[in-house]
Amino acid sequence: GTTPLVLTGLPATVYDVVISKEAYRDERLTVTISGGNKIIVTKTLTPLTGTVSLSIRGAPGVATPSPLSIQIWVDDKRAVGPQLTLPVGLHSLRVRAFGYEDRERAVYVSPNSVRVEEFVLMPAAFRAEAFSADRNRFNPHNPGLLGTVDFSFFVSAPGWARLEVTDSSGAVVFSKKLDNFSSWIQHYRWDGRDLQGMSVADGVYSAVLSAGPSSEGVTETFRLKTSVRIESSMVVRPETVFSGLGGLLFAPSPELSSAPSFQIDTALLFGYPYRSPGSFQSLPFAAAL
């Protein structure tokens, strides 16, 4: 029968049980039935597997990427290669390396098989996209990351970029050159200050990203834009999670910080507990994250 299977009225004897499932190893076990007893049989099945060996190289005249810079994805999950032991069935293989175009294909793995899949990587055309800010308004006078904005963007290959922040009149208040890209996602955190290190005035500012390839003689550039508001009324006063009401009852009143910031507080609270024989004879304490 098909699991979950319940069998009743079996004569008392020894039975040979075989559990089978497609793409899994058969499991065989012996069960002894005595008069009136009940037996529950549970078994974990082992998948049948095959091996896929990846051969990765650059196209003719193109340098092969370093093995440490190559990413291998199996069914949209990161895998460690180039030798892959995979369950029997159809799988999607994708090979990535910064500065190269992704290569993807479907591979069927047979039981106990060993196959070699060759991936030839072509250089990626430079692209810059997905320029965004992690918050659309902030106050530079707030402490730590609360007083900054993180600009991020995607690039497909090595190149350069220039970030410019302009005010409502189009005047450039901040400029920064970014280059030597070695990964797809780039970040730059701006603290809301101008070229002289002074906090800019309240208002809406445009962030403009100009980016291009590092190849000489290539003039094509990408121009991306987003906006952010400086708002000094957004005052955040971080409080410890142990701030609260003093007295017989300790009542913490934690304050929530704005995403994606975080705050870590630790404390050791001690004193002369009620009806304690003396200081430190009974030690109340607390810690929080």
Side-chain angles (χ1 to χ4, degrees):
T2 302
T3 59
L5 177 65
V6 178
L7 300 175
T8 60
L10 297 178
T13 186
V14 177
Y15 292 90
D16 187 36
V17 179
V18 179
I19 303 175
S20 301
K21 181 177 174 62
E22 184 180 359
Y24 289 82
R25 300 183 187 278
D26 289 354
E27 296 290 343
R28 186 180 299 269
L29 61 155
T30 300
V31 176
T32 302
I33 301 293
S34 58
N37 69 339
K38 178 181 179 181
I39 294 180
I40 299 176
V41 176
T42 303
K43 197 69 177 178
T44 300
L45 302 184
T46 303
L48 292 172
T49 61
T51 300
V52 178
S53 179
L54 304 185
S55 174
I56 304 170
R57 61 180 178 85
V62 177
T64 298
S66 165
L68 296 178
S69 67
I70 296 174
Q71 294 185 4
I72 299 173
W73 295 76
V74 179
D75 301 329
D76 294 326
K77 294 182 180 179
R78 187 79 177 269
V80 178
Q83 293 286 120
L84 303 173
T85 300
L86 303 176
V88 168
L90 189 65
H91 298 277
S92 172
L93 302 183
R94 181 158 56 106
V95 174
R96 306 188 74 204
F98 181 69
Y100 297 82
E101 296 291 351
D102 291 4
R103 286 290 180 262
E104 185 172 3
R105 73 182 60 155
V107 174
Y108 184 82
V109 177
S110 302
N112 302 316
S113 63
V114 178
R115 62 184 298 169
V116 177
E117 292 290 330
E118 184 178 44
F119 286 83
V120 179
L121 303 184
M122 301 291 294
F126 183 85
R127 302 190 313 278
E129 55 195 19
F131 181 48
S132 63
D134 67 340
R135 50 169 59 101
N136 57 15
R137 60 190 183 120
F138 74 103
N139 178 7
H141 299 288
N142 283 328
L145 298 182
L146 296 175
T148 65
V149 60
D150 182 70
F151 295 110
S152 62
F153 58 98
F154 169 90
V155 292
S156 61
W160 59 269
R162 177 169 291 279
L163 173 67
E164 290 186 342
V165 180
T166 61
D167 60 17
S168 58
S169 68
V172 176
V173 298
F174 180 81
S175 179
K176 179 68 176 180
K177 177 73 177 296
L178 309 172
D179 54 15
N180 298 325
F181 302 142
S182 59
S183 60
W184 292 280
I185 304 300
Q186 305 297 317
H187 294 271
Y188 184 79
R189 186 168 293 278
W190 181 49
D191 58 4
R193 301 181 183 276
D194 59 19
L195 296 172
Q196 287 73 43
M198 304 296 292
S199 297
V200 298
D202 284 9
V204 176
Y205 291 81
S206 296
V208 180
L209 183 80
S210 302
S214 55
S215 304
E216 295 183 2
V218 179
T219 58
E220 180 183 7
T221 60
F222 291 79
R223 190 172 176 85
L224 308 172
K225 185 176 180 179
T226 188
S227 62
V228 65
R229 175 184 290 276
I230 302 293
E231 193 169 321
S232 58
S233 63
M234 294 178 57
V235 178
V236 179
R237 298 183 179 89
E239 298 184 24
T240 171
V241 295
F242 291 99
S243 60
L245 304 176
L248 296 179
L249 176 65
F250 177 73
S253 58
E255 297 290 335
L256 294 180
S257 297
S258 60
S261 59
F262 65 90
Q263 178 178 331
I264 297 176
D265 289 319
T266 59
L268 181 64
L269 309 180
F270 61 90
Y272 200 121
Y274 180 61
R275 289 189 175 180
S276 171
S279 298
F280 303 105
Q281 298 298 311
S282 175
L283 183 63
F285 65 92
L289 173 60

